Amino acid sequence: MRVGVLGGGQLGRMLALAGAPLGISTIHLDPAQDACAGQVAPVLVGRYDDPALVAELSRQVDVVTVELEQVPLGAFDHVREGVPARPPAAAVEVTQDRLLEKRLFRELGIPAPRFHAVDGPDDVKAAVEALGLPLLLKTRDGGYDGKGQLLVRDPAALAGAWDELGGRLLIAEEVVSFEREVSVVAVRGLDGETRAYPLVENLHAGGILRVTRAPAETDATLAADAERYAARILDRLGHVGVLAVELFDAGGQLLANEIAPRVHNSGHWTIEGAETSQFENHLRAICGLPLGSTALVRPSAMVNLIGDVPPAADVLAIPGARLHLYGKAPRPGRKLGHVTVTAPDEGTLLRRLASVRALVRIADGAA
Ligand code: AMP
């Protein structure tokens, strides 16, 4: 099978690497001349919605998929007839818009922070009346890794809020006080079967994921809730492939924050820590193959390498540590790779994780 991937970043690269042993090859489309998937698979360079390029990509493949959610939806229109897009455009569309996501949560009975649509400066006041202060204003589109957000604490800040976020359509959300952030990565096969990986706990700093621990320390009820929510979303969207749901754990209740219609940074640990990696399961799903087990093999943790990379020898000297470099040029704030560490038990994992974290500068006081 040949898979066309819209996007040639690290997620695309790891999809390519996972496909090789299965006899599945990938071809990518990416605007960047030096997209890092290009070191392991062919890349067509150009705009995601360039009609000729998308047609060219889909001419060479059996199925088209995405490795990022901010793909112009027009790209899907140029996929050749008879070549399926998995996930479908409609599933990607919902995840590009925070308001559509929140409405989906409500429709599916999935608890989420209270919200209010803000379509213009006047709506900011209405949102405050509905939700109170403080509140979080987020752009409906284009926001990721904490960008496009404004915390409004007092009425004086309201007047400039709309302009500050660039006059874009917004969503206002109540500010939830949560204990921690968790996520569930799940997959839906072509036949509609869904499977979820164990719930994981995520630590962010500066709006970027830094550390994931798998499994999250939690009771069975929360984990089962997360799995049920993910399955509902996958089914409702008619999704095929991997999807991630980020949630807040607030007082023993999960509140859904957002959805990513693709393999996810909080699922990287599955390469070493689960029976089947998220990358392999995504490919299995979109190629119509049986899904693999999502069971955890060993307690695992993942540490992102952001901005710079410690010496490989230092990482590899830590028992159970595996290094994944993405072949990207260093730049502040850029995800350059990750380290996964596994261990036979939780205590050993925590010690090994501390050794990895000692090698990695984690900004914003999160170390
Ligand atoms: P997001 O881009 O929606 O993932 O938000 C980035 C980060 O802002 C999240 O990881 C949370 O730490 C925080 N955040 C987002 N929404 C809320 C909310 N409604 N209440 C409190 N914190 C939030």
Side-chain angles (χ1 to χ4, degrees):
M1 292 278 279
R2 295 203 94 185
V3 173
V5 185
L6 296 172
Q10 67 266 18
L11 301 178
R13 176 182 167 110
M14 288 185 272
L15 282 171
L17 294 171
L22 302 180
I24 297 172
S25 58
T26 62
I27 309 175
H28 302 255
L29 195 164
D30 196 287
Q33 201 64 249
D34 61 348
C36 70
Q39 296 165 15
V40 300
V43 178
L44 305 177
V45 180
R47 283 194 354 253
Y48 294 121
D49 55 354
D50 180 316
L53 268 187
V54 176
E56 168 65 15
L57 177 81
S58 51
R59 199 180 52 74
Q60 298 185 42
V61 300
D62 304 294
V63 56
V64 168
T65 192
V66 295
E67 62 113 57
L68 74 168
E69 61 255 50
Q70 300 304 336
V71 174
L73 291 173
F76 289 89
D77 298 335
H78 309 305
V79 174
R80 279 165 65 96
E81 209 153 316
V83 178
R86 297 175 184 147
V92 176
E93 182 176 16
V94 171
T95 65
Q96 291 184 346
D97 184 335
R98 292 180 189 278
L99 184 63
L100 298 185
E101 279 182 344
K102 289 286 188 308
R103 286 183 175 153
L104 180 71
F105 297 148
R106 188 159 61 191
E107 177 198 326
L108 296 176
I110 298 172
R114 292 183 304 128
F115 64 95
H116 199 278
V118 176
D119 297 339
D122 294 345
D123 292 337
V124 180
K125 244 175 59 200
V128 175
E129 272 155 30
L131 305 174
L133 285 174
L135 59 73
L136 203 53
L137 286 172
K138 302 180 179 178
T139 54
R140 280 171 56 177
D141 68 343
Y144 64 96
D145 286 346
K147 296 189 179 76
Q149 300 198 6
L150 188 66
L151 179 66
V152 181
R153 290 177 203 278
D154 61 278
L158 284 176
W162 172 262
D163 289 333
E164 204 166 320
L165 286 168
R168 314 227 308 264
L169 292 177
L170 305 176
I171 180 172
E173 291 180 23
E174 68 169 318
V175 176
V176 174
S177 71
F178 53 83
E179 281 90 62
R180 58 185 183 155
E181 299 189 57
V182 296
S183 59
V184 58
V185 173
V187 58
R188 184 168 180 273
L190 200 50
D191 60 358
E193 181 194 4
T194 62
R195 295 188 180 192
Y197 290 95
L199 190 68
V200 299
E201 179 168 347
N202 300 317
L203 176 72
H204 296 83
I208 303 179
L209 178 67
R210 306 290 163 155
V211 179
T212 294
R213 278 195 50 198
E217 242 175 79
T218 184
D219 59 54
T221 325
L222 274 199
D225 285 348
E227 188 168 339
R228 230 181 26 253
Y229 299 158
R232 268 184 223 164
I233 294 167
L234 283 164
D235 284 340
R236 172 66 179 71
L237 294 177
H239 193 93
V240 178
V242 165
L243 172 146
V245 189
E246 296 183 42
L247 311 112
F248 304 130
D249 178 359
Q253 190 199 22
L254 293 180
L255 300 174
N257 178 33
E258 60 180 348
I259 310 169
R262 53 168 171 80
V263 288
H264 193 255
N265 199 167
S266 72
H268 290 359
W269 67 274
T270 58
I271 296 175
E272 289 88 4
E275 292 272 1
T276 315
S277 82
Q278 64 164 347
F279 302 100
E280 178 171 336
N281 254 339
H282 182 72
L283 294 172
R284 288 191 187 209
I286 65 172
C287 292
L289 297 167
L291 300 182
S293 164
T294 49
L296 180 132
V297 178
R298 290 178 285 272
S300 308
M302 189 278 324
V303 178
N304 268 339
L305 303 176
I306 295 169
D308 61 5
V309 170
D314 293 353
V315 174
L316 299 178
I318 299 168
R322 295 294 182 84
L323 181 59
H324 297 259
L325 297 179
Y326 306 150
K328 290 164 46 174
R331 210 188 295 147
R334 197 174 198 201
K335 288 178 182 169
L336 301 176
H338 71 268
V339 176
T340 303
V341 62
T342 60
D345 57 78
E346 280 291 330
T348 312
L349 181 73
L350 288 180
R351 281 196 301 281
R352 292 177 177 180
L353 176 58
S355 304
V356 175
R357 291 183 64 167
L359 296 175
V360 177
R361 278 189 293 136
I362 297 186
D364 302 333

